[in-house]
Amino acid sequence: MFDTLTRSVPGFVWTSDADGRIDFVNCAWCEYTGLSSDVSLGAGWMQAVHPDDLNVIEALWPLRANGQNPAYEAQIRFRRRDGRYLWHLVRANPVADGEGRWIGYSGDIHNLIAIQTRDRVQADILQKVVAGEDVQTLLAALCALGEEQLPGSRCTVLLLSEDETEFTGGAAPFLPRELQAMISGTKVGTGVGSCGTAAFEKRDVVSARIATDPLWEGWREAFAALGVKACWSQPVYGTDGRVLATYGFYFYEERAPTVDELESLDILRQLAAVAIDKARTTQALRESEEHYRHTVEHNPQIPWTADPQGRILSVSSRWREATGQPVDSAIGTGWFQALHPNDVDRVHRYWAECLRTGDPADLKYRIRLNDGGYRWVRARATPRRDANGQIVKWYGAVEDIHDLELAHERLRQQADIDDLTRLPNRRSFEDRLRGAIAETKDGASVDLLLIDLSGFRQLNDRFGHEVGDAVLRLFAGFLRACSTEADIIGRIAGDQFALVLRDRGGEATPQRYAGQLARELERRLARSAKTRNLGVRIGCARSTEDDKSDDLTRRAKIALYAAKGDSGHSVRLFSPALQQAIDQRAEQIELARQALKYRLLVPYYQPMIDLTSGKVAGAEALLRIRHPVEGILSPTSVWAALDAPKIGKAITDQILSLVLANLAEWGPWPAQLGSISVNLSTETLMQDGLARSLLQKLDRKALEPHQLTVEITERVLVDELAPGTRQCLEQLQRHGVRVSLDDFGTGFASLTHLQRLPVNEIKIDKSFVNDLGKDSSGTAIVKSMIHLGRNMGVDVVAEGVETAEQAALLKEWGCRFAQGYHFHRPLSASEFGPIWRTVILGAPKAAMSR
């Protein structure tokens, strides 16, 4: 029965004396340890005991029976046949045979011990995670757990970078520091040892024989020097599937893992994943909290939070530093107590509206400081909402913007105030004008006066800009002195000012007040020798219902334009007639543009008659428009366009081209038979290279220069007499082109022009010819002009001759040439051509020869 029993039990059964000398072991012992019963007898069985446990056994012997607890019990590791040491629970009981013998039993409790140890260490590791231990401490604990769970192993836990491309460090207690330094920063990949391959290929890698494993090609020597012969590595995954680290187990013998060991490896990997993932999360949270704390503490702003109703929940300690009030005093709605009294209602309304709509807040106000002063701050807040869109909390910050606000205020003043006169500038004045119009009600109106200093340009040119600036400052002072506090004054251009008058009643009030103002300003200007020649021109306009500031300004500009063009009146009030004149001017300019675009311009020719022979001696090309609907139109239909620089030049250029084409078509004629005269605009006359260009055009048309006369009005010369004008006209005259001075006697410097300019002829204006024989003064003037021309050797042409009496008187007084309806009306090119050819054919042969 004893033999059967000892063979049936799974554990070891043995008998010994009190000193531990064995005299019997069952077959289970021999099968497990590989020791025969003969070798095991006596003290031979101790060969299978773990060296570290021999002292435990020696402490037990000799065994002595104890009545209260006769059994002995101990945990001892025995070496298995494969060389592994496993834990066993050893129990010994005395045999009641009177000889002091003992019988014992040993059962395998290795798995139980391993599980208990693992659970204890796991609990310790998890406790470290909860306690917020740093990652490095947890990695060291994982290494210790691995080495305990797989006896004979040495462990490493190597961390990977966020992009899973390289090792960034970790724990490798058994490796030398220089080798640890080599691993940190190493790129993972196939062939980078077991750990580098496991991380790159995301699989478990077992290198049972490092000496021949190709994965260890570059690392074999470094680890061979440490006696490492095998390595098992497995990737540790995070919750998102990324590889966080590798768990490596190194052995000093060549071996592969058993099934039990593979199970242990998997359990260790799971624990490592939880520990590393949680540790990183905890560390990131701690860093985030530290970052937030430092950000709040060192941020010049004052962060705060509020509940959905806008009551303050928390505020930074900087609130006390800024306001001197305890932080607790700002909780709820107490922060309103720190606001400037003038800002409380505005801020309260704004904050209430944000709470109602849920829109982000952004406003400026002033808060009281420790010293009782106030500073500008900017408060911004944004709501945080839950999944249903309901506001959970408000997050905001208060920022000190006092210096910036003061700088902006200075910039606003600089942007609104004219530096020279210290009056509101154009932009500021227009803003105030809009405000004044918006404030009018119950039929009230606003009067706008635009004031211009006539003669200022000449003053500036004569005395210089410094004097000009001083005059503008002086004039601004005069305006202030002549205005009331309710009026709005501004400088809107170089020498142009504006004045807004509030409703003063009466339709004529703006014009009457403007007249008084103009006289007073001119009286003050007359006190200085430098400003006594300056004049004041004022355009007035009164606002109407639904008026915009632009509308009122436009009407005042029209009135000012009229005042500047009216030498008899320095003040004009806007009227529909002025608007009509402006509209008419715009229509004329638009008609001129269309005529240029569609080539509707045509020259008409008014023959010039030689009063001595009665024959045609040339002609003047006159502007006409061939309108598709209204027929032939006179120059008055585009009169305003002739004064517009660019359009006036374009008209002159097109008419000149048409005249030259007609001249080429009509053929040549002798010089004594006269020429065709064309009027030059101001812009054409001022054009660089005019003489060269005109002569080239004549040459391209195979025309002789004497076939063309250029007419220059005396008004053009008075306005735009440039240094190059005389040289241009001299060059033309030198090549044979004639120069005619039109409207002679209507300008201010006719004699000067005759003296300075190369003139071949002068034309007596129609206004002098109309009253011949009726007005003795007009007769005297015409006689004087004819006499002057003959004495200076220039031809004299009388314009606008409409009666035989006028023609007879002019011939009697010695005027050689004349033109007008008495002789011929203006003719088209097709009508004038035959007349011209008749003149040529009727000329003497000698005169026609070339």
Side-chain angles (χ1 to χ4, degrees):
M1 289 179 64
F2 179 80
D3 180 66
T4 301
L5 180 62
T6 57
R7 289 178 179 275
S8 300
V9 296
F12 311 151
V13 179
W14 48 267
T15 60
S16 72
D17 59 16
D19 294 322
R21 288 186 291 272
I22 298 296
D23 56 12
F24 169 80
V25 291
N26 66 348
C27 59
W29 167 269
C30 298
E31 292 174 2
Y32 185 86
T33 63
L35 300 176
S36 64
S37 59
D38 293 338
V39 173
S40 301
L41 296 180
W45 62 276
M46 289 190 180
Q47 299 176 42
V49 178
H50 193 285
D52 293 342
D53 294 341
L54 290 174
N55 58 342
V56 177
I57 294 176
E58 292 173 356
L60 293 175
W61 310 112
L63 297 176
R64 294 182 178 84
N66 187 331
Q68 296 179 348
N69 186 16
Y72 285 87
E73 184 176 293
Q75 293 179 1
I76 297 175
R77 285 167 289 184
F78 292 109
R79 186 181 64 243
R80 199 168 58 181
R81 181 187 294 271
D82 59 4
R84 287 189 63 196
Y85 287 94
L86 302 180
W87 285 101
H88 287 70
L89 179 63
V90 179
R91 292 177 179 272
N93 289 279
V95 179
D97 59 358
E99 297 181 5
R101 292 171 56 79
W102 290 77
I103 184 172
Y105 171 82
S106 298
D108 186 344
I109 60 170
H110 184 80
N111 289 338
L112 178 62
I113 294 294
I115 291 172
Q116 290 177 344
T117 302
R118 185 186 65 204
D119 291 346
R120 174 177 52 78
V121 177
Q122 286 181 359
D124 181 62
I125 292 175
L126 293 177
Q127 187 175 5
K128 292 180 184 298
V129 171
V130 174
E133 290 284 355
D134 60 271
V135 175
Q136 205 61 36
T137 300
L138 292 173
L139 297 182
L142 287 172
C143 288
L145 174 61
E147 292 175 356
E148 188 169 351
Q149 289 294 296
L150 276 76
S153 67
R154 304 305 300 269
C155 289
T156 64
V157 181
L158 305 180
L159 297 177
L160 257 71
S161 59
E162 290 289 331
D163 58 1
E164 305 176 79
T165 61
E166 65 181 17
F167 291 119
T168 59
F174 83 99
L175 295 180
R177 290 186 178 181
E178 55 272 16
L179 191 53
Q180 294 183 29
M182 287 176 58
I183 294 175
S184 181
T186 298
K187 297 288 185 181
V188 302
T190 302
V192 185
S194 300
C195 293
T197 304
F200 182 74
E201 298 184 0
K202 297 185 178 181
R203 66 179 180 88
D204 294 351
V205 176
V206 174
S207 296
R209 182 180 173 83
I210 290 178
T212 59
D213 194 329
L215 298 179
W216 281 82
E217 190 65 34
W219 297 84
R220 185 176 293 116
E221 293 182 3
F223 281 82
L226 301 176
V228 174
K229 297 182 179 180
C231 178
W232 312 338
S233 182
Q234 54 184 181
V236 178
Y237 300 101
T239 55
D240 57 359
R242 292 187 304 108
V243 178
L244 302 177
T246 58
Y247 211 155
F249 300 85
Y250 299 82
F251 298 90
Y252 297 115
E253 58 183 345
E254 296 176 350
R255 61 184 297 258
T258 65
V259 175
D260 293 341
E261 289 173 332
L262 288 174
E263 183 179 351
S264 296
L265 289 174
D266 193 53
I267 294 173
L268 288 171
R269 173 177 26 210
Q270 294 176 22
L271 177 62
V274 173
I276 295 173
D277 205 4
K278 294 299 182 182
R280 282 189 168 182
T281 302
T282 302
Q283 184 172 345
L285 179 60
R286 183 184 298 113
E287 290 178 357
S288 176
E289 291 174 347
E290 285 296 305
H291 173 74
Y292 177 77
R293 182 175 64 82
H294 282 282
T295 300
V296 170
E297 289 181 355
H298 299 289
N299 193 340
Q301 298 184 3
I302 306 174
W304 54 269
T305 61
D307 64 15
Q309 290 72 42
R311 294 184 293 264
I312 299 298
L313 299 175
S314 65
V315 65
S316 167
S317 59
R318 294 187 64 84
W319 174 264
R320 182 184 182 92
E321 297 176 16
T323 65
Q325 301 179 21
V327 171
D328 292 344
S329 67
I331 302 302
T333 59
W335 62 281
F336 276 99
Q337 303 300 319
L339 267 60
H340 192 287
N342 294 341
D343 295 340
V344 172
D345 292 340
R346 175 176 59 85
V347 173
H348 189 275
R349 288 193 301 270
Y350 181 88
W351 185 225
E353 181 65 14
C354 291
L355 294 174
R356 185 185 69 80
T357 62
D359 294 335
D362 189 345
L363 73 160
K364 301 175 184 178
Y365 52 82
R366 289 160 291 183
I367 59 173
R368 187 175 60 252
L369 306 182
N370 284 327
D371 57 7
Y374 288 89
R375 289 184 71 85
W376 281 99
V377 298
R378 180 184 185 185
R380 285 176 283 187
T382 303
R384 178 168 64 87
R385 301 176 184 271
D386 60 17
N388 299 321
Q390 298 298 315
I391 295 177
V392 177
K393 187 179 289 188
W394 286 84
Y395 295 85
V398 176
E399 177 185 6
D400 187 328
I401 60 167
H402 189 73
D403 295 336
L404 182 62
E405 191 69 15
L406 294 183
H408 284 172
E409 181 62 28
R410 287 192 295 270
L411 289 176
R412 282 192 291 269
Q413 290 180 358
Q414 293 174 2
D416 293 343
I417 301 299
D418 176 56
D419 289 337
L420 181 63
T421 63
R422 307 312 298 168
L423 292 176
N425 60 17
R426 183 189 189 93
R427 188 186 68 81
S428 177
F429 179 82
E430 290 176 348
D431 288 343
R432 299 185 187 193
L433 175 59
R434 281 191 288 269
I437 293 175
E439 292 172 3
T440 58
K441 52 186 178 181
D442 300 331
S445 62
V446 169
D447 296 327
L448 174 62
L449 278 59
L450 294 185
I451 306 165
D452 184 84
L453 270 175
S454 61
F456 178 77
R457 177 180 175 183
Q458 291 79 1
L459 179 143
N460 217 24
D461 292 341
R462 180 181 178 186
F463 297 107
H465 292 291
E466 291 185 359
V467 173
D469 291 347
V471 170
L472 291 176
R473 285 192 293 268
L474 181 67
F475 189 75
F478 291 164
L479 269 180
R480 288 194 189 93
C482 296
S483 306
T484 66
E485 292 184 0
D487 298 334
I488 303 173
I489 311 174
R491 181 190 178 202
I492 60 175
D495 60 343
Q496 195 172 103
F497 297 80
L499 180 63
V500 173
L501 309 175
R502 303 289 181 167
D503 182 44
R504 301 194 178 203
E507 192 64 31
T509 296
Q511 192 170 12
R512 185 169 60 249
Y513 177 82
Q516 296 171 356
L517 177 63
R519 289 189 292 274
E520 176 60 23
L521 291 173
E522 288 182 346
R523 185 184 66 81
R524 291 173 182 250
L525 290 170
R527 296 174 182 172
S528 171
K530 289 184 174 129
T531 60
R532 64 179 53 171
N533 291 325
L534 294 180
V536 176
R537 296 290 182 268
I538 302 178
C540 312
R542 168 164 285 183
S543 68
T544 59
E545 189 175 0
D546 298 329
D547 243 350
K548 302 296 183 184
S549 62
D550 292 344
D551 300 328
L552 185 61
T553 302
R554 178 181 54 81
R555 296 200 299 271
K557 284 182 178 179
I558 292 173
L560 178 61
Y561 181 80
K564 292 168 69 174
D566 187 350
S567 59
H569 299 85
S570 60
V571 175
R572 292 295 295 271
L573 178 66
F574 175 82
S575 66
L578 296 180
Q579 180 65 59
Q580 185 178 359
I582 293 295
D583 294 342
Q584 185 178 11
R585 173 182 170 82
E587 291 172 0
Q588 291 181 1
I589 293 176
E590 180 58 26
L591 176 59
R593 287 198 180 100
Q594 295 299 316
L596 287 167
K597 180 178 180 180
Y598 297 107
R599 303 193 69 82
L600 303 179
L601 300 179
V602 291
Y604 266 52
Y605 299 92
Q606 186 167 44
M608 184 173 67
I609 305 300
D610 186 338
L611 293 177
T612 59
S613 65
K615 294 181 178 181
V616 175
E620 179 181 359
L622 303 175
L623 171 66
R624 295 293 186 269
I625 296 93
R626 183 181 289 114
H627 197 277
V629 177
E630 301 179 20
I632 300 298
L633 302 179
S634 69
T636 57
S637 61
V638 291
W639 203 256
L642 299 178
D643 290 332
K646 292 185 178 180
I647 298 180
K649 179 181 182 302
I651 291 174
T652 299
D653 292 345
Q654 196 170 113
I655 288 294
L656 183 59
S657 296
L658 293 171
V659 169
L660 295 180
N662 290 154
L663 283 171
E665 179 184 350
W666 295 332
W669 63 80
Q672 62 268 28
L673 293 183
S675 61
I676 302 298
S677 60
V678 179
N679 198 293
L680 299 185
S681 69
T682 302
E683 287 296 317
T684 302
L685 182 62
M686 302 301 294
Q687 178 182 342
D688 291 337
L690 171 64
R692 183 178 63 257
S693 173
L694 189 53
L695 292 171
Q696 288 175 351
K697 290 178 180 178
L698 289 169
D699 186 61
R700 283 196 294 268
K701 294 289 185 180
L703 298 174
E704 296 294 335
H706 66 77
Q707 293 178 255
L708 180 67
T709 296
V710 293
E711 285 191 12
I712 305 169
T713 62
E714 201 171 14
R715 179 176 59 82
V716 168
L717 293 176
V718 171
D719 292 342
E720 300 291 347
L721 185 56
T725 302
R726 183 166 57 85
Q727 290 85 343
C728 172
L729 295 177
E730 287 176 347
Q731 184 178 356
L732 288 173
Q733 191 183 62
R734 219 171 24 248
H735 284 80
V737 177
R738 291 171 53 83
V739 178
S740 175
L741 185 57
D742 197 12
D743 299 336
F744 185 74
T746 60
F748 301 96
S750 300
L751 295 178
T752 301
H753 294 151
L754 283 176
Q755 183 181 15
R756 295 177 57 192
L757 296 176
V759 175
N760 298 99
E761 72 177 26
I762 60 175
K763 286 191 171 184
I764 301 175
D765 188 70
K766 179 182 178 180
S767 61
F768 297 109
V769 175
N770 286 341
D771 296 330
L772 286 182
K774 301 176 184 178
D775 185 352
S776 58
S777 62
T779 298
I781 292 174
V782 172
K783 285 182 178 181
S784 299
M785 290 181 183
I786 296 171
H787 182 70
L788 178 64
R790 292 177 63 182
N791 288 340
M792 296 190 69
V794 298
D795 294 331
V796 179
V797 182
E799 294 181 303
V801 178
E802 297 183 354
T803 66
E805 180 185 3
Q806 292 171 348
L809 289 173
L810 290 168
K811 181 179 179 181
E812 178 185 342
W813 295 337
C815 182
R816 173 82 183 273
F817 302 101
Q819 64 184 64
Y821 275 70
H822 173 65
F823 306 106
H824 285 284
R825 63 179 176 81
L827 304 172
S828 66
S830 60
E831 294 172 323
F832 182 73
I835 296 176
W836 192 247
R837 283 192 292 271
T838 300
V839 173
I840 296 174
L841 292 174
K845 291 184 179 179
M848 294 183 65
S849 62
R850 293 285 177 176

